Amino acid sequence: MKYTSIFAAAVTALASAVSAAGVTGAAEGFARGVTGGGNAAPVYPRNTDELVSYLGDSQPRVIILTKTFDFTNTEGTETSSGCAPWGTAPGAQLAINKNNWCNNYANTAPKVNSITYNKAGVLGITVNSNKSLVGQGSAGVIKGRGLRIVSGAKNVIIQNIAITDINPRYVWGGDAITLDNTDLVWIDHVTTARIARQHIVLGTQADNRVTISYNFIDGRSQYSATGNGHHYWGIYLAGTNDMVTLKGNYFYYTSGRLPKVQGNTLLHAVNNYFDSIDGHAFEIDAGGYVLAEGNAFKNVATPVQLPVSGQLFSAPNAAANQQCRSVLGRPCQVNAFDNSGSFNNQANTAVISKFAGKSIAPANLAVNIPRWVLANSGQGKI
Ligand SMILES: *[C@@H]1O[C@H](CO)[C@@H](O)[C@H](O)[C@H]1NC(C)=O
């Protein structure tokens, strides 16, 4: 029985690696089996219009990016009112008054009469089902606009690209990657930098099986909600039926929401490197079920914000970690903390059983993770 299932898993991994033209490797964890555009003949968009068309049409596609696609000025600018919830100092983000959001701060945030931003950034490019979007070397960049995998689109691979410079001064100026009502999505070796709001957001509908692996979330920004050059809006997981594998990512220079987990989300956070986080990493609200193992923290003030209103098994010690055996077939791996806070021994073992029967990514020793992630995660390191 055991050998049969291992053999079947190997065949599945091999099949998806072979069938996904242009794509390197295969997804680990929950999105295992994703094929994206499969073996469709690759296409090479020449300009932003062609890229939008290939991503949004109803053909299975392997789309290869060989240069920067700059959307900054594709839709011109918009000027609207806003507010300054974090003050008006030069390094503070301002907020566009989207859906009257500034009313949340009516009594506290100074009004800002005029904010001018690039319209294209506000809503990402629609990505339809059965697409692989892959960068060549370090050349594939989408600038000034993000990606949206929504409304039932499924089976999507985004690999080895960078998404940058989306209205970074203005909250509500746009997200880098949005999922909402989807299934089987793999975001791999992607670098995101200088984003208005979330680097990755899974919306409130069901996003089902998702793997977010070996990416570089670069939080360095001239403007931030915390005013300290550390971007606040990292990864927000809010879906109603979501299983997310978060593996091998490099999370650098942020100050919050990395990740924020709620809704009904089962999260396996494994072998990520959290570096120089001036604020908190995990924020786990009701409906967030998190297994965090084999992660490395360096200079992270608050690995998890308290209280944890959801559930967290933080693999606190060798004895507790043996409890993973019955479900994962192996013990969980302890996390490593270097000049950082801790997980406060959070050890809610109810989380472990939720992984029964699922595709679970393997875990390596946390102590090896910083060096490995720096060498292998993000665009161009595949
Ligand atoms: C995606 O591929 C699957 C499997 O081949 C197919 O059933 C589905 O209709 C495709 N979706 C679209 C939008 O092309």
Side-chain angles (χ1 to χ4, degrees):
M1 177 65 184
K2 194 159 195 183
Y3 290 108
T4 311
S5 61
I6 289 169
F7 179 70
V11 169
T12 307
L14 188 64
S16 42
V18 168
S19 63
V23 169
T24 302
E28 296 170 79
F30 294 134
R32 196 173 78 183
V34 62
T35 56
N39 50 20
V43 291
Y44 299 80
R46 288 168 299 181
N47 52 51
T48 54
D49 284 349
E50 282 189 4
L51 176 57
V52 169
S53 164
Y54 286 144
L55 285 170
D57 70 15
S58 53
Q59 303 293 312
R61 293 220 183 259
V62 175
I63 304 161
I64 312 282
L65 302 187
T66 60
K67 60 177 185 175
T68 296
F69 293 79
D70 190 350
F71 287 82
T72 309
N73 299 312
T74 52
E75 295 177 30
T77 59
E78 175 99 23
T79 298
S80 74
S81 65
C83 55
W86 309 286
T88 52
Q93 276 194 305
L94 303 174
I96 298 164
N97 190 23
K98 185 186 177 192
N99 301 326
N100 290 315
W101 187 75
C102 289
N103 289 355
N104 296 329
Y105 296 88
N107 299 317
T108 53
K111 292 264 180 297
V112 177
N113 290 330
S114 163
I115 286 177
T116 299
Y117 54 94
N118 298 312
K119 275 170 78 174
V122 174
L123 198 65
I125 307 163
T126 299
V127 180
N128 211 333
S129 296
N130 304 330
K131 307 284 185 183
S132 301
L133 177 64
V134 182
Q136 204 169 68
S138 299
V141 179
I142 300 176
K143 187 176 177 192
R145 199 172 176 196
L147 298 168
R148 278 166 60 82
I149 306 155
V150 301
S151 307
K154 56 184 72 145
N155 190 28
V156 172
I157 298 171
I158 303 169
Q159 187 175 65
N160 196 37
I161 67 167
I163 300 175
T164 71
D165 303 285
I166 303 176
N167 290 313
R169 189 169 186 185
Y170 304 119
V171 167
W172 300 117
D175 306 306
I177 300 178
T178 302
L179 277 59
D180 201 19
N181 181 9
T182 185
D183 186 25
L184 275 181
V185 176
W186 182 27
I187 302 165
D188 183 68
H189 285 91
V190 172
T191 292
T192 52
R194 299 174 301 280
I195 307 298
R197 183 73 164 174
Q198 297 301 141
H199 281 240
I200 299 176
V201 54
L202 274 55
T204 53
Q205 299 183 65
D207 303 299
N208 296 292
R209 297 165 291 174
V210 176
T211 294
I212 300 171
S213 55
Y214 311 114
N215 303 291
F216 174 21
I217 304 284
D218 184 354
R220 290 172 294 184
S221 183
Q222 203 180 335
Y223 310 102
S224 78
T226 35
N228 57 358
H230 293 249
H231 191 74
Y232 183 84
W233 321 99
I235 296 180
Y236 189 9
L237 307 173
T240 49
N241 183 34
D242 291 19
M243 298 185 293
V244 181
T245 298
L246 195 61
K247 180 169 184 185
N249 299 285
Y250 183 36
F251 298 137
Y252 182 57
Y253 224 79
T254 57
S255 61
R257 286 193 174 181
L258 199 59
K260 179 177 166 85
V261 192
Q262 60 183 47
N264 177 20
T265 299
L266 181 63
L267 174 65
H268 186 202
V270 49
N271 290 155
N272 301 288
Y273 182 27
F274 298 80
D275 181 7
S276 301
I277 304 213
D278 189 4
H280 63 268
F282 288 82
E283 186 178 339
I284 305 171
D285 294 327
Y289 307 101
V290 180
L291 166 58
E293 58 164 340
N295 299 286
F297 295 83
K298 182 181 170 200
N299 300 329
V300 178
T302 308
V304 64
Q305 196 175 61
L306 297 178
V308 171
S309 327
Q311 299 180 356
L312 169 61
F313 183 75
S314 69
N317 57 62
N321 292 354
Q322 289 300 331
Q323 295 175 73
C324 297
R325 267 191 193 284
S326 61
V327 175
L328 276 60
R330 58 169 175 80
C332 282
Q333 295 282 1
V334 291
N335 299 285
F337 301 92
D338 176 0
N339 191 34
S340 298
S342 75
F343 273 132
N344 295 285
N345 296 314
Q346 294 275 325
N348 193 327
T349 53
V351 174
I352 299 170
S353 58
K354 291 181 177 288
F355 285 82
K358 308 265 186 339
S359 171
I360 301 164
N364 297 302
L365 289 175
V367 68
N368 297 325
I369 290 306
R371 202 174 51 178
W372 194 93
V373 160
L374 288 176
N376 294 290
S377 295
Q379 182 211 27
K381 296 188 174 178
I382 190 165

